[in-house]
Amino acid sequence: AGMTGSEEMKASGAKDTANECFEGFSRAMFKFNHALDGAIFEPVAKGYRSLPQGIRQGTSNVVSNLRSLLTFSNNVLQGDFRAAGNTAGRFVVNTTVGVLGVWDPASSLFGLEASGKEDFGQTLGHWGVGQGAYLVLPFIGPSTTRDAVGFVTDTLAFDPISYINNVRGRNQVRIMQFIDARTELLNASSIIDEASLDPYAFQRDAYLQYREAQVNDNTKNT
């Protein structure tokens, strides 16, 4: 007899597994997110991708530049002060010389290459907190109990977008951030739909392996 998703994960014994006590809820949320994405988010992302490359790149640069403040906070919390200095330097140069981050002179002129994005979920992993249970959140997508706590903490404490006082402006930045991220995932979403008999399990395993790799990289570099 075939094993369920949770049984397969327990049998693997790998570090990139997580408890699936929320499997019923997660599969329901996966279906909900998938339907919503197909109806709204994916068409919007495809429309956005049809815009000139220069506009899309400039928008992506602005979003990445603003988000780098979140990475900086977590660089510091992880004790990676070299990366924190690089992140801060990139933000200052790109915000000023790069006109709010539209361009990336920090890399092209000063040799300050972009490093990986950091968040509080990774920071918790760096501190030795396990992934916990896997779950799929409405709208947000794949996560774990550790990453869910990290997401809430980042949103309330570290994410600079949360400190924009103008509600309309804050929402516009969030939407721009989401569309940019969803556009980057267009190819990945087609692979999930076409390459797997169980897209939910495919997404779960890919997410857990990806997050484990991020945390391990942070640990090795400190």
Side-chain angles (χ1 to χ4, degrees), residues 78-202:
Q78 294 169 21
D80 192 350
F81 299 109
R82 177 178 296 181
N86 181 77
T87 302
R90 283 183 51 79
F91 177 77
V92 170
V93 171
N94 286 344
T95 301
T96 54
V97 182
V99 189
L100 300 180
V102 174
W103 293 282
D104 186 12
S107 176
S108 60
L109 298 180
F110 297 92
L112 296 173
E113 298 293 338
S115 56
K117 297 177 181 179
E118 304 294 335
D119 56 61
F120 195 65
Q122 290 169 255
T123 297
L124 290 173
H126 175 81
W127 291 345
V129 178
Q131 295 194 87
Y134 177 77
L135 71 162
V136 179
L137 300 174
F139 305 106
I140 297 171
S143 185
T144 61
T145 48
R146 182 188 68 196
D147 289 346
V149 171
F151 174 78
V152 172
T153 303
D154 280 333
T155 301
L156 296 179
F158 301 127
D159 191 346
I161 298 176
S162 300
Y163 292 94
I164 298 176
N165 291 326
N166 184 280
V167 175
R168 182 178 180 182
R170 183 169 65 245
N171 290 339
Q172 288 175 337
V173 174
R174 292 283 190 201
I175 292 172
M176 182 173 66
Q177 182 183 46
F178 180 84
I179 293 174
D180 179 69
R182 183 63 186 86
T183 304
E184 292 182 359
L185 294 174
L186 281 174
N187 292 335
S189 61
S190 64
I191 292 174
I192 292 176
D193 290 337
E194 297 172 5
S196 175
L197 295 176
D198 185 356
Y200 167 82
F202 188 94

Side-chain angles (χ1 to χ4, degrees), residues 21-134:
C21 57
F22 302 111
E23 184 172 0
F25 171 83
S26 294
R27 284 187 177 275
M29 287 302 100
F30 175 82
K31 292 180 180 179
F32 170 78
N33 289 343
H34 188 71
L36 190 65
D37 183 73
I40 300 176
F41 302 137
E42 185 176 3
V44 170
K46 288 181 177 179
Y48 176 74
R49 191 169 61 176
S50 67
L51 294 176
Q53 171 65 21
I55 294 177
R56 288 188 287 115
Q57 188 61 58
T59 300
S60 182
N61 287 347
V62 170
V63 170
S64 295
N65 185 59
L66 187 58
R67 193 206 178 281
S68 68
L69 293 176
L70 175 58
T71 292
F72 171 77
S73 299
N74 283 286
N75 285 149
V76 173
L77 290 172
Q78 294 169 21
D80 192 350
F81 299 109
R82 177 178 296 181
N86 181 77
T87 302
R90 283 183 51 79
F91 177 77
V92 170
V93 171
N94 286 344
T95 301
T96 54
V97 182
V99 189
L100 300 180
V102 174
W103 293 282
D104 186 12
S107 176
S108 60
L109 298 180
F110 297 92
L112 296 173
E113 298 293 338
S115 56
K117 297 177 181 179
E118 304 294 335
D119 56 61
F120 195 65
Q122 290 169 255
T123 297
L124 290 173
H126 175 81
W127 291 345
V129 178
Q131 295 194 87
Y134 177 77

